[in-house]
Amino acid sequence: MAEHPHATLVRKGYDAFLRVDMDALRGLMTADVTHHVPGRHPLSGDFKGQDAVIGMYERLFQETGGSFRADLRGVFVDGRGHAVALHHVTAEREGRRHHEDGCLILRIVGDKITDIDECVPDLGKNDDFWA
């Protein structure tokens, strides 16, 4: 049985992110996409529009000297425009190492990602790393 198109879309997004191919990522998102990042650190908040989302992704790489990785572990879809992507994040910043599991909850319309909600297991740990 073939993979659901929404799962394939999410996998393409993670692949483009790991290759730091921001043009490919733009092609997977609507122009008004929003990425919601939890927490109280400088990279948290709501990033609205492709430029803001891509800018936040680029800053993740800048802040970590290119070490930021989000390795996809699995994708779950409901067939109604929702997908959950489970991943493991690793990064180094200012002599500190960060690693934890997390997920993205994505909303998809047609063949484009419209909204991304990021969830982490420990908001305090995440805030401390990015502060």
Side-chain angles (χ1 to χ4, degrees), residues 6 11 17 23 25 48 57 64 66 80 85 90 92 101-102 110 121:
H6 293 165
R11 289 182 194 286
F17 183 86
D23 289 334
L25 276 173
K48 177 104 172 132
Y57 294 163
T64 62
R80 297 179 299 114
T90 56
E92 293 183 25
D101 293 328

Side-chain angles (χ1 to χ4, degrees), residues 13-49:
Y14 272 80
D15 179 61
F17 183 86
L18 289 175
R19 290 184 291 109
V20 194
D21 185 346
M22 298 302 150
D23 289 334
L25 276 173
R26 281 182 191 278
L28 303 175
M29 300 182 292
T30 60
D32 64 346
V33 64
T34 302
H35 189 135
H36 310 276
V37 180
R40 297 183 189 174
H41 55 83
L43 288 171
S44 65
D46 297 327
F47 298 86
K48 177 104 172 132

